[in-house]
Amino acid sequence: MIRRPPRSTPKPSSAASDVYKRQELIRAVLRAQEERVAAYRAYDHGLDDLLATGNLTAYPTVVAAATASFSVLSDTINAVREVLVEGGSDGTRREDLSKIIGELKRLEKDKLGKTAALHLERIREKNEAVSVGMEDVGDRRVLRMLQRGVAALRAEVRDIVEAINEVLEELRYAAADAEAV
């Protein structure tokens, strides 16, 4: 009689398969994050172009394109996170990785909010610079205030980007540790 292992015992190749599946999930998050960076660049360049031409009526189109990109990327990352939380019989359950991805999502939400605020402040700054004509001292104060606001928001976005990069590094390390297990 041939003795078989109990069904609850994973097959030897199963562990390697689980690691591979987790690696693929993490790669999907990292690819989506790269695409998100490209979407932010397009969003920022769209505003830059509009500010240079003065045609701000096209800004809603820029926002709509960015929103569509961010939505698709968020859906991808949410799907990966859901798989890592729920897992299943395929060994993909990893709540530690899911928590890291949750922190990434939180930071990206903050970044998007600050980026939108930065865009609006830049538009206000441009409008003020055009309307002032640089003749009234009071108007220059408003412009300087807006410029300080833009600088402060840029600094906040930079800080968030730094935090995002740290979380991505943590995700890479956690994924590497998962491979070693």
Side-chain angles (χ1 to χ4, degrees):
M1 177 177 210
I2 298 175
R3 187 150 192 236
R4 296 180 185 203
R7 288 189 176 173
S8 63
T9 304
K11 298 177 189 175
S13 64
S14 170
S17 175
D18 294 348
V19 169
Y20 178 77
K21 289 173 186 172
R22 282 191 298 272
Q23 289 172 336
E24 283 301 306
L25 291 170
I26 299 306
R27 278 194 277 272
V29 170
L30 296 174
R31 277 191 306 271
Q33 196 61 30
E34 289 172 9
E35 291 176 31
R36 192 176 285 187
V37 169
Y40 271 109
R41 277 194 195 111
Y43 186 34
D44 288 338
H45 287 286
L47 176 65
D48 291 341
D49 292 345
L50 295 175
L51 290 174
T53 63
N55 180 15
L56 294 176
T57 59
Y59 187 63
T61 305
V62 170
V63 171
T67 300
S69 294
F70 293 136
S71 177
V72 169
L73 296 169
S74 290
D75 288 347
T76 299
I77 291 173
N78 287 337
V80 169
R81 185 169 185 227
E82 188 175 314
V83 168
L84 291 170
V85 167
E86 293 177 5
S89 60
D90 62 358
T92 54
R93 183 182 175 116
R94 286 293 304 268
E95 290 187 35
D96 58 329
L97 297 176
S98 173
K99 287 179 183 176
I100 296 169
I101 293 170
E103 178 64 7
L104 177 63
K105 284 179 49 174
R106 185 193 67 75
L107 288 168
E108 282 294 347
K109 182 179 178 182
D110 290 349
K111 180 183 174 190
L112 185 55
K114 293 293 181 188
T115 299
L118 174 59
H119 279 210
L120 294 175
E121 198 72 355
R122 287 182 64 203
I123 291 169
R124 289 178 60 205
E125 176 189 28
K126 176 72 172 184
N127 287 339
E128 186 66 22
V130 168
S131 68
V132 165
M134 302 307 258
E135 293 179 19
D136 187 324
V137 173
D139 289 333
R140 284 189 214 158
R141 280 186 264 163
V142 171
L143 183 58
R144 282 194 302 271
M145 180 189 68
L146 289 169
Q147 290 167 338
R148 283 192 301 272
V150 166
L153 285 166
R154 281 191 171 136
E156 288 182 51
V157 169
R158 273 192 305 272
D159 290 345
I160 294 170
V161 167
E162 187 176 304
I164 287 169
N165 288 334
E166 289 173 9
V167 169
L168 289 171
E169 200 60 28
E170 185 180 350
L171 183 61
R172 287 183 189 99
Y173 285 134
D177 287 346
E179 290 177 33
V181 173

PDB file of all heavy atoms in Angstrom, residues 43 45-63 122-123 126-127 130:
ATOM      1  N   TYR A  43      -0.099  64.661 -15.718  1.00  0.00           N
ATOM      2  CA  TYR A  43      -0.997  65.600 -15.034  1.00  0.00           C
ATOM      3  C   TYR A  43      -0.292  66.941 -14.829  1.00  0.00           C
ATOM      4  O   TYR A  43      -0.836  68.004 -15.150  1.00  0.00           O
ATOM      5  CB  TYR A  43      -1.399  64.957 -13.708  1.00  0.00           C
ATOM      6  CG  TYR A  43      -2.429  65.671 -12.866  1.00  0.00           C
ATOM      7  CD1 TYR A  43      -3.480  66.394 -13.412  1.00  0.00           C
ATOM      8  CD2 TYR A  43      -2.374  65.556 -11.483  1.00  0.00           C
ATOM      9  CE1 TYR A  43      -4.429  67.009 -12.599  1.00  0.00           C
ATOM     10  CE2 TYR A  43      -3.322  66.152 -10.659  1.00  0.00           C
ATOM     11  CZ  TYR A  43      -4.337  66.886 -11.229  1.00  0.00           C
ATOM     12  OH  TYR A  43      -5.273  67.478 -10.418  1.00  0.00           O
ATOM     13  N   HIS A  45       2.466  68.055 -16.409  1.00  0.00           N
ATOM     14  CA  HIS A  45       2.800  68.659 -17.703  1.00  0.00           C
ATOM     15  C   HIS A  45       1.580  69.281 -18.363  1.00  0.00           C
ATOM     16  O   HIS A  45       1.680  70.320 -19.029  1.00  0.00           O
ATOM     17  CB  HIS A  45       3.456  67.628 -18.638  1.00  0.00           C
ATOM     18  CG  HIS A  45       4.861  67.292 -18.256  1.00  0.00           C
ATOM     19  ND1 HIS A  45       5.914  68.131 -18.451  1.00  0.00           N
ATOM     20  CD2 HIS A  45       5.358  66.193 -17.651  1.00  0.00           C
ATOM     21  CE1 HIS A  45       7.018  67.581 -17.994  1.00  0.00           C
ATOM     22  NE2 HIS A  45       6.707  66.402 -17.493  1.00  0.00           N
ATOM     23  N   GLY A  46       0.445  68.643 -18.180  1.00  0.00           N
ATOM     24  CA  GLY A  46      -0.797  69.215 -18.714  1.00  0.00           C
ATOM     25  C   GLY A  46      -1.072  70.578 -18.117  1.00  0.00           C
ATOM     26  O   GLY A  46      -1.410  71.535 -18.834  1.00  0.00           O
ATOM     27  N   LEU A  47      -0.887  70.710 -16.808  1.00  0.00           N
ATOM     28  CA  LEU A  47      -1.074  72.012 -16.165  1.00  0.00           C
ATOM     29  C   LEU A  47      -0.023  73.010 -16.653  1.00  0.00           C
ATOM     30  O   LEU A  47      -0.352  74.153 -16.947  1.00  0.00           O
ATOM     31  CB  LEU A  47      -1.018  71.895 -14.645  1.00  0.00           C
ATOM     32  CG  LEU A  47      -1.122  73.233 -13.913  1.00  0.00           C
ATOM     33  CD1 LEU A  47      -2.483  73.892 -14.147  1.00  0.00           C
ATOM     34  CD2 LEU A  47      -0.850  73.062 -12.431  1.00  0.00           C
ATOM     35  N   ASP A  48       1.223  72.558 -16.728  1.00  0.00           N
ATOM     36  CA  ASP A  48       2.293  73.454 -17.197  1.00  0.00           C
ATOM     37  C   ASP A  48       1.967  74.023 -18.579  1.00  0.00           C
ATOM     38  O   ASP A  48       2.124  75.222 -18.820  1.00  0.00           O
ATOM     39  CB  ASP A  48       3.636  72.713 -17.254  1.00  0.00           C
ATOM     40  CG  ASP A  48       4.178  72.352 -15.885  1.00  0.00           C
ATOM     41  OD1 ASP A  48       3.735  72.955 -14.878  1.00  0.00           O
ATOM     42  OD2 ASP A  48       5.036  71.452 -15.820  1.00  0.00           O
ATOM     43  N   ASP A  49       1.517  73.151 -19.471  1.00  0.00           N
ATOM     44  CA  ASP A  49       1.165  73.597 -20.822  1.00  0.00           C
ATOM     45  C   ASP A  49       0.028  74.610 -20.799  1.00  0.00           C
ATOM     46  O   ASP A  49       0.060  75.611 -21.509  1.00  0.00           O
ATOM     47  CB  ASP A  49       0.779  72.403 -21.705  1.00  0.00           C
ATOM     48  CG  ASP A  49       1.956  71.489 -22.014  1.00  0.00           C
ATOM     49  OD1 ASP A  49       3.121  71.909 -21.798  1.00  0.00           O
ATOM     50  OD2 ASP A  49       1.707  70.345 -22.454  1.00  0.00           O
ATOM     51  N   LEU A  50      -0.968  74.349 -19.979  1.00  0.00           N
ATOM     52  CA  LEU A  50      -2.113  75.255 -19.898  1.00  0.00           C
ATOM     53  C   LEU A  50      -1.711  76.606 -19.297  1.00  0.00           C
ATOM     54  O   LEU A  50      -2.177  77.652 -19.751  1.00  0.00           O
ATOM     55  CB  LEU A  50      -3.236  74.624 -19.087  1.00  0.00           C
ATOM     56  CG  LEU A  50      -3.858  73.366 -19.699  1.00  0.00           C
ATOM     57  CD1 LEU A  50      -4.877  72.767 -18.750  1.00  0.00           C
ATOM     58  CD2 LEU A  50      -4.475  73.651 -21.044  1.00  0.00           C
ATOM     59  N   LEU A  51      -0.852  76.572 -18.297  1.00  0.00           N
ATOM     60  CA  LEU A  51      -0.390  77.823 -17.701  1.00  0.00           C
ATOM     61  C   LEU A  51       0.454  78.622 -18.692  1.00  0.00           C
ATOM     62  O   LEU A  51       0.380  79.853 -18.732  1.00  0.00           O
ATOM     63  CB  LEU A  51       0.407  77.561 -16.416  1.00  0.00           C
ATOM     64  CG  LEU A  51      -0.393  77.052 -15.222  1.00  0.00           C
ATOM     65  CD1 LEU A  51       0.538  76.696 -14.070  1.00  0.00           C
ATOM     66  CD2 LEU A  51      -1.436  78.070 -14.784  1.00  0.00           C
ATOM     67  N   ALA A  52       1.237  77.923 -19.502  1.00  0.00           N
ATOM     68  CA  ALA A  52       2.084  78.600 -20.485  1.00  0.00           C
ATOM     69  C   ALA A  52       1.247  79.260 -21.578  1.00  0.00           C
ATOM     70  O   ALA A  52       1.574  80.358 -22.046  1.00  0.00           O
ATOM     71  CB  ALA A  52       3.069  77.611 -21.106  1.00  0.00           C
ATOM     72  N   THR A  53       0.168  78.617 -21.967  1.00  0.00           N
ATOM     73  CA  THR A  53      -0.666  79.160 -23.041  1.00  0.00           C
ATOM     74  C   THR A  53      -1.755  80.090 -22.511  1.00  0.00           C
ATOM     75  O   THR A  53      -2.319  80.873 -23.272  1.00  0.00           O
ATOM     76  CB  THR A  53      -1.356  78.035 -23.836  1.00  0.00           C
ATOM     77  OG1 THR A  53      -2.243  77.327 -22.972  1.00  0.00           O
ATOM     78  CG2 THR A  53      -0.349  77.102 -24.473  1.00  0.00           C
ATOM     79  N   GLY A  54      -2.068  79.948 -21.235  1.00  0.00           N
ATOM     80  CA  GLY A  54      -3.134  80.748 -20.651  1.00  0.00           C
ATOM     81  C   GLY A  54      -4.520  80.180 -20.917  1.00  0.00           C
ATOM     82  O   GLY A  54      -5.524  80.769 -20.542  1.00  0.00           O
ATOM     83  N   ASN A  55      -4.592  79.022 -21.539  1.00  0.00           N
ATOM     84  CA  ASN A  55      -5.872  78.397 -21.874  1.00  0.00           C
ATOM     85  C   ASN A  55      -6.306  77.462 -20.746  1.00  0.00           C
ATOM     86  O   ASN A  55      -6.250  76.249 -20.868  1.00  0.00           O
ATOM     87  CB  ASN A  55      -5.747  77.622 -23.190  1.00  0.00           C
ATOM     88  CG  ASN A  55      -7.048  76.958 -23.581  1.00  0.00           C
ATOM     89  OD1 ASN A  55      -8.109  77.288 -23.050  1.00  0.00           O
ATOM     90  ND2 ASN A  55      -6.977  76.022 -24.512  1.00  0.00           N
ATOM     91  N   LEU A  56      -6.770  78.035 -19.657  1.00  0.00           N
ATOM     92  CA  LEU A  56      -7.150  77.231 -18.500  1.00  0.00           C
ATOM     93  C   LEU A  56      -8.508  76.556 -18.658  1.00  0.00           C
ATOM     94  O   LEU A  56      -8.879  75.712 -17.840  1.00  0.00           O
ATOM     95  CB  LEU A  56      -7.131  78.088 -17.241  1.00  0.00           C
ATOM     96  CG  LEU A  56      -5.729  78.588 -16.860  1.00  0.00           C
ATOM     97  CD1 LEU A  56      -5.808  79.518 -15.666  1.00  0.00           C
ATOM     98  CD2 LEU A  56      -4.800  77.435 -16.586  1.00  0.00           C
ATOM     99  N   THR A  57      -9.234  76.881 -19.699  1.00  0.00           N
ATOM    100  CA  THR A  57     -10.531  76.235 -19.914  1.00  0.00           C
ATOM    101  C   THR A  57     -10.360  74.754 -20.231  1.00  0.00           C
ATOM    102  O   THR A  57     -11.310  73.982 -20.071  1.00  0.00           O
ATOM    103  CB  THR A  57     -11.315  76.921 -21.049  1.00  0.00           C
ATOM    104  OG1 THR A  57     -10.547  76.860 -22.245  1.00  0.00           O
ATOM    105  CG2 THR A  57     -11.642  78.361 -20.690  1.00  0.00           C
ATOM    106  N   ALA A  58      -9.175  74.344 -20.646  1.00  0.00           N
ATOM    107  CA  ALA A  58      -8.924  72.932 -20.957  1.00  0.00           C
ATOM    108  C   ALA A  58      -8.506  72.136 -19.718  1.00  0.00           C
ATOM    109  O   ALA A  58      -8.321  70.921 -19.799  1.00  0.00           O
ATOM    110  CB  ALA A  58      -7.856  72.820 -22.043  1.00  0.00           C
ATOM    111  N   TYR A  59      -8.372  72.803 -18.580  1.00  0.00           N
ATOM    112  CA  TYR A  59      -7.927  72.096 -17.369  1.00  0.00           C
ATOM    113  C   TYR A  59      -8.860  70.947 -16.968  1.00  0.00           C
ATOM    114  O   TYR A  59      -8.362  69.884 -16.569  1.00  0.00           O
ATOM    115  CB  TYR A  59      -7.731  73.077 -16.206  1.00  0.00           C
ATOM    116  CG  TYR A  59      -7.107  72.431 -14.994  1.00  0.00           C
ATOM    117  CD1 TYR A  59      -5.817  71.902 -15.048  1.00  0.00           C
ATOM    118  CD2 TYR A  59      -7.809  72.336 -13.803  1.00  0.00           C
ATOM    119  CE1 TYR A  59      -5.247  71.303 -13.947  1.00  0.00           C
ATOM    120  CE2 TYR A  59      -7.242  71.740 -12.688  1.00  0.00           C
ATOM    121  CZ  TYR A  59      -5.965  71.222 -12.755  1.00  0.00           C
ATOM    122  OH  TYR A  59      -5.394  70.618 -11.664  1.00  0.00           O
ATOM    123  N   PRO A  60     -10.165  71.086 -17.065  1.00  0.00           N
ATOM    124  CA  PRO A  60     -11.023  69.939 -16.727  1.00  0.00           C
ATOM    125  C   PRO A  60     -10.703  68.681 -17.545  1.00  0.00           C
ATOM    126  O   PRO A  60     -10.812  67.560 -17.035  1.00  0.00           O
ATOM    127  CB  PRO A  60     -12.447  70.438 -17.021  1.00  0.00           C
ATOM    128  CG  PRO A  60     -12.353  71.917 -16.809  1.00  0.00           C
ATOM    129  CD  PRO A  60     -10.974  72.293 -17.329  1.00  0.00           C
ATOM    130  N   THR A  61     -10.271  68.860 -18.780  1.00  0.00           N
ATOM    131  CA  THR A  61      -9.887  67.712 -19.605  1.00  0.00           C
ATOM    132  C   THR A  61      -8.630  67.050 -19.048  1.00  0.00           C
ATOM    133  O   THR A  61      -8.529  65.822 -19.003  1.00  0.00           O
ATOM    134  CB  THR A  61      -9.645  68.160 -21.068  1.00  0.00           C
ATOM    135  OG1 THR A  61     -10.820  68.823 -21.531  1.00  0.00           O
ATOM    136  CG2 THR A  61      -9.329  66.983 -21.971  1.00  0.00           C
ATOM    137  N   VAL A  62      -7.679  67.858 -18.599  1.00  0.00           N
ATOM    138  CA  VAL A  62      -6.452  67.334 -17.988  1.00  0.00           C
ATOM    139  C   VAL A  62      -6.796  66.557 -16.723  1.00  0.00           C
ATOM    140  O   VAL A  62      -6.292  65.454 -16.492  1.00  0.00           O
ATOM    141  CB  VAL A  62      -5.459  68.488 -17.685  1.00  0.00           C
ATOM    142  CG1 VAL A  62      -4.296  68.010 -16.838  1.00  0.00           C
ATOM    143  CG2 VAL A  62      -4.969  69.127 -18.965  1.00  0.00           C
ATOM    144  N   VAL A  63      -7.678  67.123 -15.920  1.00  0.00           N
ATOM    145  CA  VAL A  63      -8.091  66.472 -14.667  1.00  0.00           C
ATOM    146  C   VAL A  63      -8.820  65.163 -14.962  1.00  0.00           C
ATOM    147  O   VAL A  63      -8.579  64.145 -14.298  1.00  0.00           O
ATOM    148  CB  VAL A  63      -8.973  67.413 -13.818  1.00  0.00           C
ATOM    149  CG1 VAL A  63      -9.578  66.686 -12.631  1.00  0.00           C
ATOM    150  CG2 VAL A  63      -8.165  68.614 -13.357  1.00  0.00           C
ATOM    151  N   ARG A 122      -1.367  77.046  -8.027  1.00  0.00           N
ATOM    152  CA  ARG A 122      -0.586  77.540  -9.169  1.00  0.00           C
ATOM    153  C   ARG A 122      -1.470  78.315 -10.148  1.00  0.00           C
ATOM    154  O   ARG A 122      -1.048  79.325 -10.719  1.00  0.00           O
ATOM    155  CB  ARG A 122       0.102  76.376  -9.894  1.00  0.00           C
ATOM    156  CG  ARG A 122       1.281  75.813  -9.106  1.00  0.00           C
ATOM    157  CD  ARG A 122       1.982  74.708  -9.847  1.00  0.00           C
ATOM    158  NE  ARG A 122       2.571  75.249 -11.076  1.00  0.00           N
ATOM    159  CZ  ARG A 122       2.865  74.501 -12.137  1.00  0.00           C
ATOM    160  NH1 ARG A 122       2.620  73.202 -12.131  1.00  0.00           N
ATOM    161  NH2 ARG A 122       3.389  75.051 -13.213  1.00  0.00           N
ATOM    162  N   ILE A 123      -2.699  77.846 -10.338  1.00  0.00           N
ATOM    163  CA  ILE A 123      -3.629  78.560 -11.209  1.00  0.00           C
ATOM    164  C   ILE A 123      -3.962  79.918 -10.598  1.00  0.00           C
ATOM    165  O   ILE A 123      -3.959  80.941 -11.299  1.00  0.00           O
ATOM    166  CB  ILE A 123      -4.905  77.713 -11.447  1.00  0.00           C
ATOM    167  CG1 ILE A 123      -4.575  76.490 -12.311  1.00  0.00           C
ATOM    168  CG2 ILE A 123      -6.004  78.559 -12.087  1.00  0.00           C
ATOM    169  CD1 ILE A 123      -5.687  75.456 -12.385  1.00  0.00           C
ATOM    170  N   LYS A 126      -1.000  82.186 -11.083  1.00  0.00           N
ATOM    171  CA  LYS A 126      -0.914  82.666 -12.475  1.00  0.00           C
ATOM    172  C   LYS A 126      -1.954  83.748 -12.731  1.00  0.00           C
ATOM    173  O   LYS A 126      -1.647  84.788 -13.326  1.00  0.00           O
ATOM    174  CB  LYS A 126      -1.115  81.480 -13.431  1.00  0.00           C
ATOM    175  CG  LYS A 126      -1.149  81.845 -14.897  1.00  0.00           C
ATOM    176  CD  LYS A 126       0.207  82.233 -15.410  1.00  0.00           C
ATOM    177  CE  LYS A 126       0.158  82.409 -16.916  1.00  0.00           C
ATOM    178  NZ  LYS A 126       1.452  82.693 -17.469  1.00  0.00           N
ATOM    179  N   ASN A 127      -3.175  83.521 -12.283  1.00  0.00           N
ATOM    180  CA  ASN A 127      -4.233  84.516 -12.471  1.00  0.00           C
ATOM    181  C   ASN A 127      -3.895  85.823 -11.761  1.00  0.00           C
ATOM    182  O   ASN A 127      -4.117  86.907 -12.298  1.00  0.00           O
ATOM    183  CB  ASN A 127      -5.580  83.986 -11.977  1.00  0.00           C
ATOM    184  CG  ASN A 127      -6.160  82.948 -12.896  1.00  0.00           C
ATOM    185  OD1 ASN A 127      -5.808  82.865 -14.068  1.00  0.00           O
ATOM    186  ND2 ASN A 127      -7.052  82.132 -12.367  1.00  0.00           N
ATOM    187  N   VAL A 130      -1.152  87.724 -13.656  1.00  0.00           N
ATOM    188  CA  VAL A 130      -1.675  88.354 -14.870  1.00  0.00           C
ATOM    189  C   VAL A 130      -2.510  89.581 -14.518  1.00  0.00           C
ATOM    190  O   VAL A 130      -2.394  90.631 -15.160  1.00  0.00           O
ATOM    191  CB  VAL A 130      -2.517  87.338 -15.689  1.00  0.00           C
ATOM    192  CG1 VAL A 130      -3.304  88.025 -16.781  1.00  0.00           C
ATOM    193  CG2 VAL A 130      -1.615  86.262 -16.263  1.00  0.00           C
TER     194      VAL A 130
END
